[in-house]
Amino acid sequence: MNKFKAIFISALVLISMSAISAPKVYGKLNISVNNDSSDITSNTDNSSDIDLISNASRLGFKGQVDMKNGLTGIYQIEYQVDITNDNTKSKTFDQRNSFVGLKGNFGTFKLGTHDTPLKLAQLKADLFNDLKGDIKNTTDGENRIGSFFGYDSPVFGGGVSISLSLGKGKDDGINTDLDGEFGNNISVSLKYDIDVIKFVIATENNSIKGYDHNRLGMMIPAGPVTIGLIHTTTESSIGNTVDYDATTVSIAGKVADGKGKIKFQYGTSDKSPGLTQTQIGYDHKLFKKFKIFTYVTRRSQDAAGEDDSHVGLGIEYKF
């Protein structure tokens, strides 16, 4: 290699390194001590269990590449980590939103594994997300899919944005383990986000679990209190008889000079006759990214004659 080529290659490497930002390492450690109990009317031998739980703790890294001309390459790799090492209940590592993409004035494109726009339409109205009282207990539609192609538009019209995703969905009414072709699963959302309200409507057809969904998500701030609403309708897309509605209402209020938050949430669903989920909790921020929390969840199903109770006390650290 002559001197000119060596200088030329060195210059290209330096230019490339200057364009790529160092990856940001981030994560969340969320651990709680839970007392889980089940009261079944037809069974006198009811169960109770105390355990240490990792609540969707995660580790990831992300970054971007300046590609000039208003274009930016983006990437993210994220895994859920079971730091309690309870392998009997979950994987030690489980892939979460991981993708490579491109963004510019036209919006953002992503390829990889990601939550569908319908799942994201819950906004942050589910105050007990990733805990025992997650709304996935009362409704379907909480889908994260592989073979994901997504687009997020820029914000226009004073707070309006659109999201679209394509992926594989179940499309065979006989063999429900058969994934459909890419593009069979479609999810779209329309979001309106201003200071006085966040409002999203979304739809998803041929989900990976064989359902069609429609969802309304809403968050309304009112001083120190925020009111949330998630309403989801579900129908089968593979021939089974499935047709139900699920609604969750939440209220969160700041206390203790803004360091504390009182939370209440109630959900009802036709997925199972008499299915309800009532929750109350309290979060207290000790430092900027460190908090302690406690919650009580009561879930009832009239059809099964079953009442589940979950009491948790935990800590969370974000970095």
Side-chain angles (χ1 to χ4, degrees):
M1 181 183 294
N2 60 38
K3 186 176 180 179
F4 174 77
K5 286 185 178 180
I7 295 174
F8 179 72
I9 293 174
S10 298
L12 287 178
V13 171
L14 290 173
I15 291 172
S16 299
M17 291 179 63
S18 66
I20 302 175
S21 64
K24 176 183 178 182
V25 179
Y26 68 95
K28 181 176 78 171
L29 305 178
N30 187 303
I31 305 175
S32 63
V33 178
N34 278 38
N35 184 356
D36 305 321
S37 61
S38 180
D39 182 4
I40 304 175
T41 303
S42 59
N43 187 355
T44 57
D45 186 17
N46 298 314
S47 61
S48 181
D49 182 39
I50 298 178
D51 201 359
L52 190 66
I53 302 294
S54 177
N55 301 299
S57 298
R58 65 204 62 170
L59 177 67
F61 69 89
K62 58 185 176 181
Q64 62 182 37
V65 182
D66 183 5
M67 304 179 68
K68 310 301 181 182
N69 300 318
L71 297 178
T72 302
I74 58 174
Y75 60 91
Q76 175 176 301
I77 297 177
E78 181 177 302
Y79 280 88
Q80 182 169 312
V81 183
D82 183 1
I83 55 179
T84 63
N85 199 29
D86 186 2
N87 293 322
T88 62
K89 296 183 179 180
S90 64
K91 299 177 182 178
T92 302
F93 294 95
D94 196 9
Q95 189 174 45
R96 293 177 58 86
N97 291 345
S98 301
F99 57 84
V100 62
L102 184 67
K103 68 177 181 180
N105 294 332
F106 51 81
T108 302
F109 289 98
K110 297 176 182 177
L111 293 168
T113 297
H114 206 277
D115 297 336
T116 66
L118 184 125
K119 179 180 180 181
L120 296 176
Q122 66 168 268
L123 300 172
K124 294 183 179 180
D126 182 8
L127 303 178
F128 298 87
N129 183 47
D130 294 331
L131 301 176
K132 291 290 187 177
D134 193 299
I135 65 168
K136 66 183 180 182
N137 294 297
T138 59
T139 185
D140 293 283
E142 302 302 284
N143 298 322
R144 177 180 298 121
I145 62 173
S147 300
F148 172 92
F149 172 78
Y151 169 71
D152 299 319
S153 77
V155 178
F156 58 91
V160 178
S161 60
I162 297 172
S163 294
L164 165 70
S165 76
L166 301 175
K168 292 182 178 181
K170 295 189 183 301
D171 65 350
D172 188 276
I174 300 175
N175 180 8
T176 57
D177 291 328
L178 179 65
D179 287 341
E181 296 180 356
F182 175 77
N184 181 259
N185 169 249
I186 303 174
S187 184
V188 183
S189 70
L190 175 65
K191 182 178 181 180
Y192 181 56
D193 186 353
I194 57 176
D195 291 340
V196 296
I197 190 173
K198 291 184 179 180
F199 176 88
V200 185
I201 54 174
T203 187
E204 182 169 350
N205 294 326
N206 296 318
S207 75
I208 57 174
K209 296 181 180 178
Y211 299 127
D212 294 336
H213 305 285
N214 295 299
R215 174 168 287 178
L216 165 66
M218 188 182 303
M219 293 189 72
I220 304 174
V225 175
T226 301
I227 301 170
L229 170 68
I230 308 168
H231 179 74
T232 308
T233 65
T234 299
E235 296 180 356
S236 175
S237 61
I238 56 174
N240 297 328
T241 304
V242 175
D243 186 0
Y244 72 89
D245 295 351
T247 303
T248 294
V249 178
S250 64
I251 302 175
K254 294 180 180 180
V255 296
D257 296 328
K259 293 183 178 180
K261 180 188 292 186
I262 296 176
K263 305 184 296 185
F264 172 80
Q265 188 163 300
Y266 177 77
T268 181
S269 174
D270 300 330
K271 184 177 182 179
S272 175
L275 176 56
T276 61
Q277 187 168 254
T278 306
Q279 306 182 82
I280 187 169
Y282 177 73
D283 297 351
H284 192 87
K285 186 179 296 185
L286 297 178
F287 306 101
K288 183 178 181 180
K289 297 183 178 181
F290 185 91
K291 73 176 183 181
I292 57 175
F293 62 91
T294 185
Y295 71 94
V296 177
T297 295
R298 179 78 170 182
R299 185 166 51 253
S300 300
Q301 299 183 66
D302 291 347
E306 181 176 356
D307 292 328
D308 296 323
S309 297
H310 307 282
V311 180
L313 174 64
I315 60 174
E316 178 182 279
Y317 174 65
K318 293 181 178 180
F319 59 91

